[in-house]
Amino acid sequence: MFHKEKSIQIKNSASALYNNLSVLRIAPRRLTYFTVVHANVVNMVSASWDGLNYSHRQLQSKEPNVATSTSLIMQAAFCVLPSRELLVVTSQKGIQMYESDGSIMVYWHALDTPETPTAQAVFARGIAAVSENYVCVGVSSGAILVFDVPSKGSNITLSEVLEEHKESITDIAAECSGSQVLLAVANLVTVDDGGSLCVWKSGEEFQLLNKIAGLDISCSSVKLWKGTVVAGYGSGQIRIYEAVTGILQSEINAHARWIYSLDIAPFSGLLLSAAEDSFVRVWHLSVTPETNSVEVAHLHNECVTDTQICGAKFCDGDGYAFAVTGYDLSEIIRYTQT
Amino acid sequence: MSSRTLPLLFINLGGEMLYILDQRLRAQNIPADKAKKDSTIAGWIEEDRRRVMNDIITTMFNKKFLEELFKPQELYSKKALRTVFDRLAHASIMRLNQASMDKLYDLMTMAFKYQVLLCPRPKDILLVSFNHMDAIKDFVKDTPSILSQVDETYQQLIEMYTPLSNGEFQLIRQTLLIFFQDMHIRVSIFLKDKVQNSNGRFGLPTSGPVPHGTQVPGLIRIFSCTGEEKTRLQFNNGGNYTSAIREGSFEIFGDRVTKLGTNMYSVSRPVETHMSGTSKSSAQHTKVNTAPNPLAKEELNMLARLMGGLEVQKAGSSDTAFRVNLFATDEEEEEALITRPDELSYGIINIQATKDQQVSAELTKIMGEFTDSGHQSPSSSSKGDDLLAMMDDL
């Protein structure tokens, strides 16, 4: 169903972090950007669609007024808003937002880091763009920071802090089906280290629609599509919930190790899951919101030999191609449909 | 990232170091009377071996040092941690020069990297730590004073780590993996056992038991809105998995179940590292090697001589038998040091046993931890010096 393509070499190997790959497709310029985190550096590659041109850029986790920093980066992700695209980088010190090509940093938000380290680690993790103008970022305390992003410029402000989670945020996802009907209901899901899921509706004041208690199994990756939450867990399970009601619709014993990344191709319903067990699996998800029913079919396996996978993303909305990163690997492996 | 990583890193690396040193010392176990007759033979009598092990373990579990170690803090840099282990290795009458210390450190770190990677669940890193602790306890079982230090450390580990959630353990594991990132030194015992490939990467099997708390992949269940199972589908998981086995014990005593963190060395299994070029093809050694490799025996003699031998020398003199050479000639050793790839260099200046004036306050503080008197002054002598002085008086 899929075959391996030529890999893209990156300057450093990928670190073992959840959701450690972000992809941005720039159709007008026939380019795709990829970002992979290595310790305190974000490796960015811009790949032309004809496969002939690759250009690289590295972003450090730096505070704007400090020369050096050993702050480790937890995640880098592209945020696509109607008016602009940003690259958001979260670290132990704070949150940096860049123009999507990584050329200019437009915003810096510092986290409250204590003078002497505390037993509880401090960092930001979990990034999503939601609705017209919000970027949400999670924090190790369980808080969700909501930033209001203007259509251009650097006048980004912290609009709200959502305090519902008690454990470190692991991932955040916005409704990606594009359906205006669904976006008007629930359009954000946040998950944490204890496996708790919160479903929200964005706005000037975000509204908590539902909270699904965790079973003490960390949820490392989550997606929201057609009103359906797809969550990947440390136990290797994928669980599918109806967002608004919290009803469990499906449970998949998907992987033999901790899941590190999930992705959905919104136009086709293809689902991608990747874990420490070296496997990337492709599934097909179909959701009928009217009847609250869900269908899941397993389509394909790829085994990346001897690699603990840390990032897997579709490169386009149909799921025609996907890319994978692994711990200690200095390449982005690509697969396309045959 | 996680501020609780350093104790686990230190204890596990220390454990691996003890396994390697113990193997070397045992390999050179020469009958006492023979050793006394010929003092130039770099052999160890049982007593000396135990003494070295006890000295190192006592230093490793020094109360003040552990207190500092268990405080919440970021991981030390590779350089700083290497210095700690240099000092630890020199806490006895044993002496290692930089090239040999490099080798020892490479083995230690690759072994622990392997264990962290292969842990089925992040929480299993604690079981690996207990395996190391269990072995250390066994090394000092006849010395009650050190035994009580070790027992106390068990308590501290249990207190600090058993309440942590799986997510927090995963953060610890991710922090450790960043520390070990890009290390691919080939270790012959790993190559022979086929757990490491010739490119230095570890093999991750897609077969065997799934971790405790995980189901064998292959089942899709669909539920109705009332919670009843509507459909059940199977899929091919592409591997060969079996159900989880029982969980190991997280108490002071107990069956840890996992073999990760147990002693994989034995006298007849030589350990070498390869820095560059092609390694000896492991395909040529398909049969299990039970007979000692004669070349390795030669290496062991060197390494044993490295550890100080029976000759007592004043530390600091560089051209006596005390300066140990792991390689066949001085030139080879020089070359090994020079040609060591930059990315593998630990950037440590050659550590003499006495009076190191280190460059950073951090290092000074760490080294100060190893003195008996509790003084924190940089010029305080190392434990090795005390022992050396003792031996001079004998």
Side-chain angles (χ1 to χ4, degrees):
Chain A
M1 188 187 171
F2 283 89
H3 66 268
K4 198 165 161 206
E5 290 274 4
K6 189 169 138 214
S7 295
I8 304 175
Q9 299 303 316
I10 41 179
K11 299 289 180 193
N12 301 115
S13 56
S15 289
L17 298 162
Y18 303 142
N19 307 301
N20 191 4
L21 174 64
S22 190
V23 179
L24 182 66
R25 198 161 182 267
I26 313 220
R29 291 167 58 202
R30 303 185 62 77
L31 285 178
T32 303
Y33 292 153
F34 298 86
T35 59
V36 182
V37 176
H38 170 97
N40 61 337
V41 166
V42 179
N43 288 294
M44 266 191 82
V45 183
S46 161
S48 62
W49 290 3
D50 57 8
L52 297 176
N53 289 305
Y54 297 98
S55 72
H56 299 261
R57 168 173 256 149
Q58 288 189 315
L59 302 173
Q60 298 262 342
S61 70
K62 269 202 271 242
E63 297 168 72
N65 53 352
V66 175
T68 57
S69 165
T70 52
S71 171
L72 292 171
I73 298 176
M74 305 300 290
Q75 192 178 4
F78 290 107
C79 287
V80 177
L81 292 165
S83 53
R84 68 196 293 190
E85 288 152 352
L86 293 173
L87 172 62
V88 178
V89 177
T90 57
S91 68
Q92 293 179 279
K93 294 256 163 65
I95 300 156
Q96 293 160 279
M97 299 196 191
Y98 293 84
E99 294 295 354
S100 61
D101 62 357
S103 57
I104 313 165
M105 183 161 82
V106 295
Y107 183 67
W108 159 255
H109 174 94
L111 290 176
D112 281 325
T113 14
E115 277 290 314
T116 46
T118 51
Q120 158 83 319
V122 175
F123 56 83
R125 179 175 61 188
I127 303 168
V130 74
S131 183
E132 305 283 306
N133 56 321
Y134 296 111
V135 167
C136 296
V137 178
V139 183
S140 46
S141 59
I144 311 274
L145 306 176
V146 181
F147 295 96
D148 192 320
V149 180
S151 56
K152 56 176 184 276
S154 54
N155 190 21
I156 297 169
T157 54
L158 178 63
S159 150
E160 206 183 345
V161 178
L162 309 173
E163 272 158 3
E164 195 59 45
H165 288 274
K166 302 284 176 288
E167 313 229 17
S168 297
I169 302 298
T170 42
D171 198 15
I172 303 180
E175 170 62 66
C176 61
S177 64
S179 153
Q180 290 304 320
V181 173
L182 290 166
L183 285 168
V185 184
N187 57 1
L188 187 74
V189 63
T190 56
V191 292
D192 69 27
D193 245 348
S196 296
L197 286 127
C198 288
V199 178
W200 311 81
K201 175 166 153 42
S202 68
E204 263 185 44
E205 266 180 41
F206 275 53
Q207 210 189 324
L208 177 70
L209 298 179
N210 197 1
K211 184 168 184 178
I212 304 168
L215 300 166
D216 223 12
I217 305 171
S218 182
C219 176
S220 42
S221 196
V222 74
K223 285 270 158 299
L224 179 59
W225 181 68
K226 289 192 172 178
T228 302
V229 172
V230 182
Y233 293 82
S235 58
Q237 266 195 347
I238 294 174
R239 295 215 199 104
I240 302 179
Y241 294 92
E242 212 230 328
V244 174
T245 60
I247 293 173
L248 177 67
Q249 296 172 305
S250 176
E251 195 176 81
I252 311 172
N253 296 335
H255 287 275
R257 295 282 190 281
W258 205 286
I259 291 177
Y260 260 61
S261 191
L262 290 180
D263 197 22
I264 291 186
F267 307 151
S268 61
L270 286 183
L271 168 67
L272 196 62
S273 67
E276 285 176 354
D277 63 0
S278 310
F279 279 99
V280 185
R281 305 196 196 277
V282 185
W283 319 77
H284 184 251
L285 191 59
S286 56
V287 174
T288 330
E290 295 80 30
T291 55
N292 290 339
S293 70
V294 137
E295 268 170 44
V296 185
H298 172 259
L299 298 181
H300 183 75
N301 294 326
E302 280 293 338
C303 179
V304 185
T305 315
D306 298 335
T307 303
Q308 298 198 342
I309 303 174
C310 51
K313 283 274 183 338
F314 284 114
C315 299
D316 57 272
D318 288 295
Y320 176 72
F322 66 88
V324 170
T325 57
Y327 170 65
D328 255 357
L329 270 195
S330 301
E331 58 186 293
I332 299 171
I333 310 175
R334 287 187 297 177
Y335 301 86
T336 43
Q337 281 192 34
T338 25
Chain B
M1 285 168 60
S2 175
S3 56
R4 289 184 266 233
T5 314
L6 193 57
L8 293 180
L9 185 59
F10 178 75
I11 287 169
N12 285 290
L13 286 181
E16 285 301 315
M17 184 173 93
L18 290 166
Y19 289 158
I20 297 165
L21 294 180
D22 182 63
Q23 182 232 1
R24 300 295 198 218
L25 296 171
R26 280 181 194 279
Q28 287 304 113
N29 200 8
I30 291 174
D33 52 319
K34 190 163 183 223
K36 283 204 177 90
K37 270 190 217 146
D38 186 357
S39 64
T40 59
I41 293 175
W44 284 94
I45 51 178
E46 174 74 9
E47 213 176 279
D48 283 324
R49 179 183 60 77
R50 203 164 294 162
R51 185 181 179 176
V52 169
M53 296 298 282
N54 283 356
D55 286 346
I56 295 178
I57 294 171
T58 306
T59 312
M60 214 174 127
F61 291 98
N62 172 278
K63 202 177 164 76
K64 282 197 95 263
F65 179 77
L66 285 181
E67 242 175 60
E68 180 61 37
L69 185 73
F70 273 84
K71 283 189 193 148
Q73 59 196 303
E74 292 294 308
L75 264 194
Y76 284 176
S77 67
K78 281 202 176 78
K79 205 189 276 197
L81 194 69
R82 166 60 197 269
T83 309
V84 175
F85 281 102
D86 273 7
R87 301 303 279 168
L88 186 60
H90 287 78
S92 70
I93 53 178
M94 181 187 77
R95 286 292 171 267
L96 296 163
N97 63 7
Q98 188 173 339
S100 300
M101 189 64 214
D102 282 350
K103 259 198 186 181
L104 176 61
Y105 197 69
D106 287 343
L107 290 173
M108 286 156 55
T109 42
M110 287 310 286
F112 190 41
K113 179 175 183 174
Y114 169 70
Q115 289 150 16
V116 171
L117 261 179
L118 271 286
C119 268
R121 303 171 303 174
K123 193 171 180 178
D124 294 337
I125 292 178
L126 193 52
L127 291 175
V128 172
S129 312
F130 283 137
N131 269 332
H132 282 117
M133 290 292 292
D134 291 344
I136 291 171
K137 194 163 171 172
D138 192 63
F139 285 135
V140 295
K141 63 179 184 281
D142 298 324
T143 323
S145 56
I146 313 173
L147 198 55
S148 65
Q149 274 178 272
V150 176
D151 277 338
E152 238 189 82
T153 312
Y154 266 106
Q155 286 296 357
Q156 279 183 289
L157 283 173
I158 290 175
E159 226 178 81
M160 177 176 254
Y161 292 102
T162 45
L164 295 187
S165 68
N166 292 309
E168 283 168 304
F169 269 109
Q170 181 64 281
L171 189 69
I172 288 173
R173 182 171 177 278
Q174 290 175 341
T175 310
L176 287 169
L177 288 177
I178 289 181
F179 185 83
F180 291 126
Q181 193 129 9
D182 302 321
M183 294 185 69
H184 301 295
I185 299 161
R186 291 185 295 272
V187 176
S188 19
I189 206 174
F190 285 141
L191 294 171
K192 285 197 177 79
D193 286 349
K194 305 272 189 357
V195 301
Q196 191 179 29
N197 302 326
S198 54
N199 60 6
R201 287 160 192 277
F202 292 115
L204 300 179
T206 54
S207 57
V210 291
H212 201 264
T214 295
Q215 304 296 319
V216 174
L219 184 62
I220 303 172
R221 300 167 77 196
I222 313 270
F223 301 100
S224 70
C225 47
T226 53
E228 285 161 35
E229 189 184 291
K230 254 182 3 185
T231 325
R232 201 167 246 259
L233 300 164
Q234 295 279 356
F235 68 90
N236 176 16
N237 62 32
N240 192 6
Y241 300 107
T242 52
S243 309
I245 52 180
R246 71 193 187 290
E247 196 180 14
S249 161
F250 288 94
E251 322 230 327
I252 296 192
F253 301 103
D255 179 8
R256 313 299 176 190
V257 178
T258 179
K259 293 281 160 276
L260 295 171
T262 55
N263 196 344
M264 63 180 161
Y265 305 104
S266 67
V267 176
S268 61
R269 307 190 80 192
V271 192
E272 309 147 40
T273 55
H274 305 270
M275 295 302 153
S276 60
T278 52
S279 62
K280 297 191 192 93
S281 167
S282 50
Q284 294 166 7
H285 301 277
T286 44
K287 61 184 195 311
V288 174
N289 185 7
T290 48
N293 178 346
L295 277 176
K297 234 184 179 165
E298 192 56 20
E299 265 189 12
L300 293 177
N301 283 331
M302 298 285 208
L303 196 44
R305 221 169 285 144
L306 194 101
M307 287 177 204
L310 294 174
E311 284 184 282
V312 174
Q313 297 288 332
K314 281 216 166 31
S317 57
S318 56
D319 54 1
T320 64
F322 227 64
R323 182 183 72 77
V324 189
N325 188 349
L326 189 59
F327 303 85
T329 62
D330 285 356
E331 288 75 30
E332 251 191 68
E333 184 193 40
E334 258 303 298
E335 213 200 300
L337 197 57
I338 293 166
T339 60
R340 186 178 175 87
D342 274 337
E343 63 268 19
L344 295 174
S345 161
Y346 293 107
I348 302 294
I349 44 179
N350 207 355
I351 300 222
Q352 303 292 317
T354 54
K355 295 184 176 49
D356 277 318
Q357 301 301 322
Q358 291 303 308
V359 293
S360 78
E362 182 191 6
L363 298 178
T364 309
K365 188 178 79 153
I366 297 162
M367 288 194 318
E369 302 295 344
F370 286 114
T371 61
D372 271 338
S373 57
H375 293 323
Q376 299 286 324
S377 66
S379 59
S380 55
S381 57
S382 74
K383 212 159 168 54
D385 269 7
D386 294 341
L387 285 171
L388 217 44
M390 264 169 62
M391 292 196 75
D392 279 350
D393 294 343
L394 290 173

